[in-house]
Amino acid sequence: MNKKDDPVQQLTAWKEVPADTDFTIYNIPFGVFSTPRRTARVGAAIGNDIIDLSAMQAMGLMEDLELENNLFAQNSLNRFIGMGNDGVNRVRAFIQKLLTEEDSSLREYPSLFVKQENAVLHLPVEVNDYTDFYSSREHATNVGKLFRDPDRALLPNWLHLPVAYHGRSSSVVVSGTGFHRPKGQMLDLHKDPVFRVSSRLDFELEMAFIINRDTPLGHSIDTTTALDHVAGMVLLNDWSARDIQAWEYAPLGPFLGKNFATSISPWLITTDALRPFLTEGPKPEIEQFPYLQFSGHANYDIDLEVSLIPEGGEENVIVKSNSKYLYWNIRQQLAHHTVNGCNVRTGDILATGTISGPQSSSCGSLLELTKGGKKPIKLKNDLKRTFLEDYDTVVMRGQAQQGSVRIGFGPLTGQVLPALG
Ligand code: MN
């Protein structure tokens, strides 16, 4: 039986949450936060609050779980998710129980709840390595047409393997972090190389999964057990300077056009919380090698949205996509990443690649939405965009619903600041 068919137990929290919250009782994501009086530690989100797990453990409220000391008094989730998904699920189920039972001990300690508006959210994990896949067929086709020629949009390897490149972990930043417009080499109108500030700055709508344990060098992870290695997912914005990218990418792929900033959402949505939203993915078009095969639901039905907010302006929803469109799923991505014996480590971030869908409104980047900058998109108040302008803010959202079970990722925001010097 597919795990998706396990009914999700109906839960009702005594803790009030806004009707439209991403952080329902079914979610209970984990993150790292600080407050004016206390440094970064681990918490769980419910509604508009954060439960201070570090304080909870220190007060002895989690003794039944027999956890390692100071597991939550950490500035990253690495040690916590390093327990593996069984351990994380035990903590998550314990929190759900405390939030639903009437005589809960949590009710006696309102100070364990911190309002999210009074907290600063940090990167959820200490990022070891960052890899970016290229797994949406629609995105690869759209970009192939724009960067190369329409007749060979999809390169010959694409249907055989999940194409990827190694990104840079040092510039992975948490939601809310601004970054400066990059400078670099690019071609001018006459196709001569010039050095200047990028004028074709873009976003890429992606999701990413986070690895929960180190594997030994030489070890391969198979598609069957892949999710045991995945702590959960976040939203990811792979900011891209298309002018730099187009000149530099041959023959080794993205470099300075991508590594100046990559934003992720602060809350880790656990693999277990995502389970009710598993769904079928696109059928493979050609027979795949056995190490990439997986029968069963391996895609997630998560609605994704991108908004653009010009400086001082209104929010414009410009993309609506869904992660179910991904041709290569995360099981296949992880199996492929390790098939040669490449090891992974706790805190590694593996991104899906831009998630575009079949509709014109489901293009996950401005490059695609504007046909390479040729057709501006219209915004409210007579504004237009081909690529991002200084002080534009990009907001990404992800939400999933199955019957009464609903979860969300919380917003992923980032603002473009002017180039330095
Ligand atoms: Mn990307």
Side-chain angles (χ1 to χ4, degrees):
M1 179 165 100
N2 192 297
K3 270 190 157 184
K4 193 202 165 183
D5 301 326
D6 296 348
V8 178
Q9 195 196 341
Q10 294 295 304
L11 301 170
T12 311
W14 50 262
K15 176 80 186 164
E16 279 188 34
V17 301
D20 60 350
T21 185
D22 281 356
F23 307 127
T24 62
I25 187 69
Y26 299 104
N27 197 346
I28 315 294
F30 297 96
V32 174
F33 72 104
S34 61
T35 44
R37 288 201 192 152
R38 271 200 66 194
T39 54
R41 67 261 195 204
V42 173
I46 178 77
N48 290 336
D49 291 271
I50 301 168
I51 306 172
D52 187 337
L53 299 181
S54 166
M56 240 178 106
Q57 190 182 18
M59 287 161 65
L61 296 177
M62 302 176 107
E63 271 172 6
D64 294 352
L65 296 171
E66 294 179 357
L67 302 169
E68 203 181 303
N69 284 339
N70 298 320
L71 184 63
F72 303 109
Q74 308 285 329
N75 62 7
S76 82
L77 296 176
N78 290 39
R79 258 176 74 186
F80 172 51
I81 62 176
M83 292 199 302
N85 287 346
D86 285 349
V88 169
N89 290 344
R90 266 194 307 130
V91 172
R92 190 166 154 270
F94 180 73
I95 296 166
Q96 283 175 324
K97 184 165 160 276
L98 289 181
L99 287 169
T100 49
E101 63 188 13
E102 283 303 320
D103 57 348
S104 168
S105 54
L106 266 188
R107 292 191 138 174
E108 296 162 37
Y109 305 104
S111 66
L112 289 174
F113 293 90
V114 176
K115 287 267 165 256
Q116 281 163 31
E117 62 192 33
N118 298 332
V120 174
L121 294 168
H122 301 267
L123 274 179
V125 287
E126 190 185 334
V127 184
N128 256 316
D129 274 306
Y130 159 49
T131 298
D132 194 19
F133 283 88
Y134 192 55
S135 287
S136 153
R137 180 167 192 171
E138 288 83 357
H139 173 69
T141 305
N142 294 339
V143 171
K145 284 179 185 171
L146 293 166
F147 270 61
R148 287 182 303 274
D149 66 86
D151 300 328
R152 48 175 209 112
L154 222 48
L155 287 172
N157 60 2
W158 202 90
L159 290 172
H160 293 270
L161 56 89
V163 171
Y165 66 93
H166 281 302
R168 178 124 189 118
S169 57
S170 67
S171 50
V172 175
V173 295
V174 73
S175 174
T177 310
F179 67 93
H180 294 281
R181 181 180 291 275
K183 296 170 279 199
Q185 285 194 34
M186 60 199 77
L187 295 183
D188 67 9
L189 288 174
H190 311 287
K191 307 264 181 204
D192 291 322
V194 290
F195 177 84
R196 64 185 177 205
V197 172
S198 170
S199 59
R200 290 164 71 89
L201 187 59
D202 201 352
F203 60 81
E204 288 192 342
L205 169 62
E206 307 196 17
M207 296 180 69
F209 58 100
I210 293 178
I211 298 295
N212 66 9
R213 73 181 88 158
D214 295 5
T215 55
L217 194 64
H219 176 84
S220 301
I221 297 169
D222 58 45
T223 57
T224 311
T225 59
L227 289 193
D228 299 343
H229 296 260
V230 175
M233 297 190 84
V234 293
L235 301 176
L236 184 142
N237 185 346
D238 176 21
W239 303 100
S240 300
R242 301 302 182 191
D243 33 20
I244 298 173
Q245 183 186 356
W247 171 230
E248 75 174 359
Y249 88 102
L252 291 187
F255 188 46
L256 303 178
K258 299 268 193 179
N259 69 6
F260 53 92
T262 307
S263 303
I264 64 169
S265 54
W267 294 104
L268 176 75
I269 313 302
T270 65
T271 297
D272 207 45
L274 291 167
R275 186 173 51 82
F277 311 104
L278 282 168
T279 191
E280 212 169 346
K283 290 258 174 295
E285 252 169 75
I286 58 169
E287 188 170 342
Q288 295 167 347
F289 284 103
Y291 82 92
L292 288 169
Q293 291 175 10
F294 179 78
S295 61
H297 293 174
N299 279 47
Y300 291 104
D301 185 359
I302 300 167
D303 287 322
L304 301 168
E305 190 179 280
V306 182
S307 289
L308 196 156
I309 309 172
E311 186 184 11
E314 290 178 65
E315 179 162 348
N316 303 265
V317 176
I318 56 173
V319 182
K320 279 180 180 288
S321 189
N322 190 300
S323 59
K324 71 183 175 193
Y325 297 135
L326 285 171
Y327 184 85
W328 295 103
N329 62 58
I330 68 174
R331 288 177 184 269
Q332 296 172 313
Q333 291 172 348
L334 189 51
H336 184 65
H337 203 308
T338 58
V339 73
N340 65 344
C342 172
N343 54 326
V344 291
R345 293 181 292 180
T346 311
D348 282 359
I349 292 188
L350 279 67
T352 57
T354 309
I355 305 175
S356 296
Q359 302 90 19
S360 58
S361 59
S362 57
C363 290
S365 65
L366 283 171
L367 182 75
E368 296 161 80
L369 284 170
T370 68
K371 309 279 182 236
K374 291 197 182 77
K375 289 186 71 175
I377 53 165
K378 291 195 175 86
L379 308 179
K380 292 172 189 166
N381 303 318
D382 291 326
L383 294 173
K384 284 182 198 170
R385 285 291 182 277
T386 46
F387 291 98
L388 297 170
E389 298 194 0
D390 288 349
Y391 301 108
D392 279 354
T393 296
V394 175
V395 186
M396 296 182 174
R397 292 189 173 83
Q399 285 171 335
Q401 177 139 15
Q402 270 301 322
S404 57
V405 179
R406 195 171 57 75
I407 64 165
F409 282 72
L412 164 57
T413 72
Q415 191 181 31
V416 181
L417 302 174
L420 285 174

